Amino acid sequence: MMRKMWRTIAATLLLSTATISVAQAAPVAETTPAATPDVTATLHADASGPVYDRRIFTQFAEHLGNGIYGGLWVGKNSKIPNTRGFRNDVVGALKQLGVPVVRWPGGCFADEYHWREGIGAKRPVKINTTWGGVTEPNEVGTHEFMDLTEQLGAEPYIAGNVGNGTVREMAEWVEYMTSPAGSLADERAKNGHKAPWKVPYFGVGNELWGCGGNMRAEFAADETRRYATFLKVPAGTRILKIASGANVDDYKWTETMIRDAGDQVDGLSLHYYTVPGGWPPRQSAAQFDEGGWAETLSEALRMDDLITKHTAIMDKYDPKKRVFLAVDEWGTWFKGDPGTNPGFLRQQNTLRDALVAAIHLNIFAKHADRVKMSAIAQMVNVLQAMVLTDGAKMVKTPTYHVFMMYKPYMDATVLPIELKSPRYNKDKWAMPAVSASAVRDKTGKVHVGLANLDPNRPMTVSVQIDGIAGSAVSGQLLTAPAMNTLNSFAVPDGVAPVAFDGARIVGKTLSLTLPAKSVVMLDLQ
């Protein structure tokens, strides 16, 4: 989780692109729409791009606020229906998303996490000095987290403690989880799990430039080499090691890490949050005007420029793209909801967040040759969450619905799409009005994701399709009456997808009118 000051910037171009219940936000007044402008595009359905890796839909669960306790974990004796302590409603909602990977236990929490405190019957209660100053009971440790991933049908991505841990501690944690025999395997069996687990992804530290140790890039690269050397798994298995990458636009960090430690790792991370107004977060998640809308979306579009520049550096040292880029922390970061612990980072989630999610998922398609993993922050009750809980109640957020709409992108082939879009301008923020991407899934069906960033004007879209003779199109639409419409426990479906029948294919031309402030997913046959 980031703590550095970030500067406010102009938008970049994209050619494809509470333990309390929070009340429904007052609707934002919007301007009268002007004439419907035209958007033109060419979709090369006869071409093949990289695979849109399912791991781009990775989720992040940190010991932060109610992200774990209350959000995922209620304990085996809770009246809230659960399976071995994990609440059934949340697990069920996440299973519907097809969550492929979960990153745990942090974030900055990982930089002080000692795994032995989370195994066995007697576990120390400590203070979470990073987030909120509350007690950490260590009820959810290695065994519990692995059980969660099994319930979800997901793979684990473990973040190791380079911050105040040791090489030996990290190596023994990997051995404890993966070894089929030996003293640590016997200890694991005694604690209730005889068979070894698969650990396909392991983070060699987290944010070494910040909460992970405030290291210089050169020192961090040396530490990464040293720690990675001792992360060993049994013969016939593999663990992908992901190095702690850059904070936003720290290109020197990326160059140092890929140059000096790239041969020891398989992935390099990048962290970037959309923080309108700059650091520290000071803007409301639910009460904002059109300026707040425009600034947030322009900041989200910056991800395209960041990936482009970090990738160019990686290409210099790794032209065959062996080391993938893992954007394993991204999303909106606003001021915490009123009445909540500021260290819990709980924020509501509106239609604006849905547009931010669609922008990012479109950007990742553009860079799918290098971006093989990303993790939105975070899964439950923290920042741009998938679901929010309050006691026994749960609600799916607008962001959840966008992830569900883009689910067909998992392991599909990215298709080139050339887009010419009018501009959306508000005050000092200017950007393309429409973001788009397209894929072809394994059954041959083509999916086109579109987002209209303009909150006032619908867009007439005309797409020339090369390579397929589509005859039918169906789709889903996500929009709402106001920019700050949200899903509350009282009104859970304020922002939810509906069937979209406004698209037509005539010959090789796909046409539709894209409503203002909307996300549309089209399925072509």
Side-chain angles (χ1 to χ4, degrees):
M1 311 301 297
M2 298 184 180
R3 298 180 179 217
K4 286 189 175 181
M5 174 81 71
W6 298 331
R7 64 179 183 272
T8 302
I9 58 153
T12 54
L13 293 177
L14 176 61
L15 296 179
S16 65
T17 10
T19 47
I20 65 169
S21 178
V22 179
Q24 180 79 21
V28 173
E30 292 156 24
T31 9
T32 304
T36 304
D38 293 332
V39 178
T40 60
T42 301
L43 173 59
H44 299 282
D46 52 348
S48 288
V51 171
Y52 196 102
D53 200 299
R54 65 175 43 245
R55 295 172 297 178
I56 289 172
F57 293 87
T58 292
Q59 297 287 335
F60 179 24
E62 183 169 7
H63 288 244
L64 195 172
N66 297 118
I68 301 290
Y69 302 109
L72 283 163
W73 175 266
V74 289
K76 299 174 184 178
N77 298 322
S78 174
K79 294 181 180 179
I80 298 174
N82 68 86
T83 299
R84 296 182 296 279
F86 289 104
R87 48 190 302 164
N88 294 340
D89 55 352
V90 173
V91 170
L94 297 171
K95 282 185 71 174
Q96 285 183 320
L97 283 180
V99 173
V101 181
V102 181
R103 180 175 181 245
W104 172 88
C108 290
F109 183 83
D111 301 318
E112 300 182 50
Y113 182 69
H114 300 283
W115 66 273
R116 282 198 165 279
E117 297 176 347
I119 62 171
K122 294 184 178 180
R123 304 184 185 183
V125 176
K126 303 182 70 175
I127 298 296
N128 188 333
T129 58
T130 303
W131 301 116
V134 296
T135 55
E136 165 56 55
N138 278 308
E139 289 179 11
V140 174
T142 302
H143 288 254
E144 291 76 19
F145 173 69
M146 289 300 195
D147 183 33
L148 172 64
T149 61
E150 289 169 2
Q151 290 188 39
L152 292 173
E155 294 180 308
Y157 171 13
I158 305 292
N161 178 0
V162 171
N164 72 355
T166 66
V167 173
R168 177 176 178 176
E169 179 184 21
M170 188 180 290
E172 289 183 347
W173 193 10
V174 172
E175 183 182 350
Y176 179 87
M177 292 185 286
T178 64
S179 180
S183 298
L184 288 173
D186 292 343
E187 184 179 6
R188 182 189 65 233
K190 190 178 298 183
N191 287 331
H193 203 277
K194 183 177 181 180
W197 289 293
K198 292 182 179 179
V199 181
Y201 315 106
F202 199 95
V204 188
N206 165 77
E207 296 190 353
L208 299 184
W209 40 262
C211 57
N214 285 308
M215 301 178 191
R216 296 179 302 108
E218 294 79 7
F219 181 77
D222 286 343
E223 287 291 271
T224 298
R225 293 186 65 86
R226 187 165 72 99
Y227 275 76
T229 299
F230 296 97
L231 296 181
K232 301 176 181 180
V233 291
T237 64
R238 188 182 181 196
I239 187 168
L240 297 179
K241 306 166 189 177
I242 302 173
S244 173
N247 175 31
V248 193
D249 57 358
D250 188 346
Y251 301 115
K252 178 189 173 184
W253 186 281
T254 293
E255 180 150 24
T256 305
M257 220 17 120
I258 193 69
R259 183 192 65 215
D260 296 348
D263 61 330
Q264 295 296 314
V265 298
D266 305 282
L268 182 63
S269 72
L270 171 65
H271 290 181
Y272 172 64
Y273 288 90
T274 297
V275 189
W279 193 262
R282 60 179 67 89
Q283 296 191 14
S284 169
Q287 301 292 346
F288 55 89
D289 58 15
E290 188 177 342
W293 167 278
E295 182 182 7
T296 300
L297 299 190
S298 71
E299 289 293 307
L301 284 165
R302 188 186 179 195
M303 180 64 82
D304 182 34
D305 185 60
L306 290 171
I307 295 175
T308 298
K309 291 177 179 176
H310 284 292
T311 293
I313 295 168
M314 295 176 73
D315 287 348
K316 177 181 174 183
Y317 297 94
D318 177 34
K320 294 184 179 180
K321 300 183 186 294
R322 185 190 65 81
V323 180
F324 63 87
L325 185 63
V327 188
D328 58 17
E329 288 190 28
W330 66 270
T332 55
W333 194 328
F334 302 110
K335 183 172 64 175
D337 285 337
T340 63
N341 184 328
F344 281 13
L345 308 187
R346 179 166 179 133
Q347 64 188 43
Q348 252 296 351
N349 196 298
T350 71
L351 180 63
R352 178 175 64 171
D353 295 272
L355 268 292
V356 169
I359 286 169
H360 279 79
L361 294 175
N362 288 339
I363 289 171
F364 296 148
K366 182 179 177 182
H367 299 281
D369 60 335
R370 181 68 81 171
V371 177
K372 299 299 181 183
M373 176 185 284
S374 84
I376 190 169
Q378 291 186 9
M379 193 157 67
V380 183
N381 286 335
V382 176
L383 297 176
Q384 193 175 348
M386 297 293 113
V387 299
L388 299 173
T389 66
D390 177 14
K393 294 180 287 188
M394 183 201 78
V395 66
K396 299 173 182 177
T397 68
T399 298
Y400 176 97
H401 292 305
V402 170
F403 269 60
M404 184 65 76
M405 291 169 72
Y406 276 76
K407 187 177 176 181
Y409 276 41
M410 289 187 179
D411 291 337
T413 299
V414 176
L415 301 176
I417 183 167
E418 299 167 5
L419 183 71
K420 293 182 180 179
S421 169
R423 306 286 287 175
Y424 164 52
N425 302 292
K426 176 63 179 176
D427 301 331
K428 63 181 180 180
W429 298 286
M431 66 205 81
V434 174
S435 164
S437 64
V439 300
R440 181 178 56 246
D441 68 23
K442 293 181 178 179
T443 69
K445 184 181 291 186
V446 172
H447 308 274
V448 181
L450 298 161
N452 184 358
L453 283 55
D454 192 317
N456 306 309
R457 301 180 299 172
M459 300 283 162
T460 299
V461 182
S462 178
V463 183
Q464 179 70 26
I465 305 173
D466 295 336
I468 62 169
S471 59
V473 58
S474 59
Q476 288 185 300
L477 165 69
L478 187 77
T479 188
M483 292 181 290
N484 64 336
T485 305
L486 53 82
N487 295 337
S488 66
F489 299 111
V491 185
D493 297 317
V495 185
V498 297
F500 180 72
D501 59 3
R504 299 287 183 271
I505 294 181
V506 179
K508 292 187 176 182
T509 302
L510 168 68
S511 59
L512 68 147
T513 297
L514 189 60
K517 58 183 186 309
S518 70
V519 180
V520 167
M521 180 58 67
L522 300 176
D523 305 322
L524 281 59
Q525 297 185 30

